[in-house]
Amino acid sequence: FRTSEFSELMLENEKYILKYCKAGKNFRAVFMTCSSTGSMEAVVMNCFTKADKLLVINGGSFGERFVELCEMHEIPYEQLVLEHGKKLSKEKLYEYDGKDFTGLLVNVNETSTGILYDTEMLGAFCERNRLFFVCDCVSSFLADPFDMEKVKADIMITGSQKVISCPPGVSIIVFSEKAVERVNSLKPKSMYFNLRAMLKDQERGQTPFTPAVGILIQINARLKEIERLGGADKEVERVALQAKDFREKVKDLPFVPVSESPANAVTALHP
């Protein structure tokens, strides 16, 4: 993997990921050999300090995971807690308007409940309050519409095992230009989760430590397949049709939908 051929593959992977999340100019992507929780932790460690004050959208177990990471790394925060399966309304969000937050963390699809949050509403709130906007799109990337530049997200996180449909073990972080500047301006707190080093090595299609080579090769094949089939929008359309078909087939079975705002990626049901 320390070859020009592998470097070319990694640069191609970055190109496709940036295209599919509709990244803006000078955005970057890195490929972490870890689960997506590792990338969540890396972002908290590398993008924030004790001088920050974060608003965490907590609508389930993955929102709670962001809360635990802030606690562990001593990043000041408040959590906006939602009832199980309830969507986030604009009225509820704007109760936190103008309260000196510096960043917002959200799991765009709260996988534990199947809730899909409105990223355009959240992006407008972050722009109004000048917040660093972190989107965990682990289960929503390529399943639900997401335009990273349009919503002015600074970080997007996803994983190899969801709609990319490869084995687990690789997580992807996309950075806005502002996010790259922030990472490069702060002192790294970890050797393995040093995002400054990841960004530097990815400039030449490499990683600081041994990557999950086999999965990255599979990701390359899968990203090219998505391109051949019409790109990100077509993939979102395919997943949406699959979700609609499944929900139609189970509607008369003895299940109760959990989510007020269902994501294409997850159909959450209770008996």
Side-chain angles (χ1 to χ4, degrees):
F1 57 90
R2 300 303 189 199
T3 64
S4 60
E5 290 84 0
F6 187 75
S7 291
E8 289 168 11
L9 179 143
M10 288 289 284
L11 292 169
E12 192 171 49
N13 283 351
E14 181 179 15
K15 178 190 75 173
Y16 282 122
I17 290 293
L18 294 176
K19 180 178 181 179
Y20 295 162
C21 72
K22 297 179 169 60
K25 184 180 179 182
N26 297 325
F27 282 39
R28 298 284 314 286
V30 300
F31 298 81
M32 308 286 289
T33 297
C34 59
S35 74
S36 295
T37 300
S39 287
M40 291 169 68
E41 182 160 28
V43 167
V44 170
M45 293 171 67
N46 286 262
C47 294
F48 303 108
T49 71
K50 293 178 181 180
D52 283 291
K53 179 185 174 186
L54 305 184
L55 179 62
V56 181
I57 310 299
N58 184 357
S61 60
F62 291 95
E64 181 64 28
R65 193 165 296 180
F66 266 139
V67 169
E68 291 174 7
L69 287 167
C70 290
E71 286 274 2
M72 187 174 296
H73 295 288
E74 300 180 332
I75 309 296
Y77 72 92
E78 287 187 28
Q79 52 181 318
L80 191 168
V81 180
L82 296 168
E83 291 182 47
H84 190 80
K86 299 297 183 182
K87 67 181 180 181
L88 175 61
S89 68
K90 185 173 181 179
E91 292 72 24
K92 182 73 172 176
L93 176 63
Y94 275 79
E95 290 176 14
Y96 295 84
D97 186 39
K99 293 194 174 181
D100 300 321
F101 292 104
T102 60
L104 184 145
L105 308 181
V106 64
N107 314 91
V108 171
N109 171 30
E110 173 51 71
T111 315
S112 66
T113 63
I115 280 283
L116 182 71
Y117 296 116
D118 184 339
T119 52
E120 291 192 19
M121 177 183 75
L122 288 164
F125 176 83
C126 289
E127 184 178 20
R128 173 184 171 91
N129 287 274
R130 299 180 181 178
L131 306 186
F132 190 88
F133 186 21
V134 174
C135 291
D136 164 358
C137 295
V138 173
S139 58
S140 61
F141 179 62
L142 296 173
D144 299 284
F146 181 74
D147 188 322
M148 189 170 178
E149 184 176 30
K150 184 178 180 181
V151 304
K152 295 182 171 60
D154 294 296
I155 293 283
M156 187 206 79
I157 302 168
T158 193
S160 56
Q161 79 279 18
K162 302 295 184 180
V163 183
I164 293 177
S165 306
C166 290
V170 169
S171 183
I172 303 159
I173 307 174
V174 180
F175 304 76
S176 71
E177 185 174 14
K178 183 172 81 173
V180 172
E181 291 172 357
R182 176 174 290 215
V183 167
N184 286 332
S185 70
L186 296 177
K187 183 178 179 181
K189 301 174 184 177
S190 168
M191 178 180 288
Y192 192 76
F193 290 127
N194 181 344
L195 295 184
R196 185 194 297 180
M198 292 294 301
L199 283 163
K200 181 64 177 175
D201 275 26
Q202 178 58 28
E203 289 176 6
R204 57 190 180 89
Q206 285 292 327
T207 57
F209 309 106
T210 304
V213 177
I215 300 172
L216 288 161
I217 292 171
Q218 291 179 73
I219 287 171
N220 185 259
R222 171 64 174 141
L223 295 177
K224 288 178 177 177
E225 177 185 61
I226 291 169
E227 186 74 1
R228 287 196 305 272
L229 295 174
D233 291 342
K234 280 292 183 183
E235 189 66 17
V236 170
E237 182 181 322
R238 183 192 67 77
V239 177
L241 287 170
Q242 190 175 15
K244 182 180 179 182
D245 178 64
F246 176 79
R247 289 164 187 168
E248 184 67 24
K249 287 174 177 173
V250 301
K251 69 178 183 179
D252 296 325
L253 296 177
F255 295 115
V256 178
V258 173
S259 171
E260 279 189 343
S261 176
N264 290 330
V266 179
T267 299
L269 304 168
H270 280 173

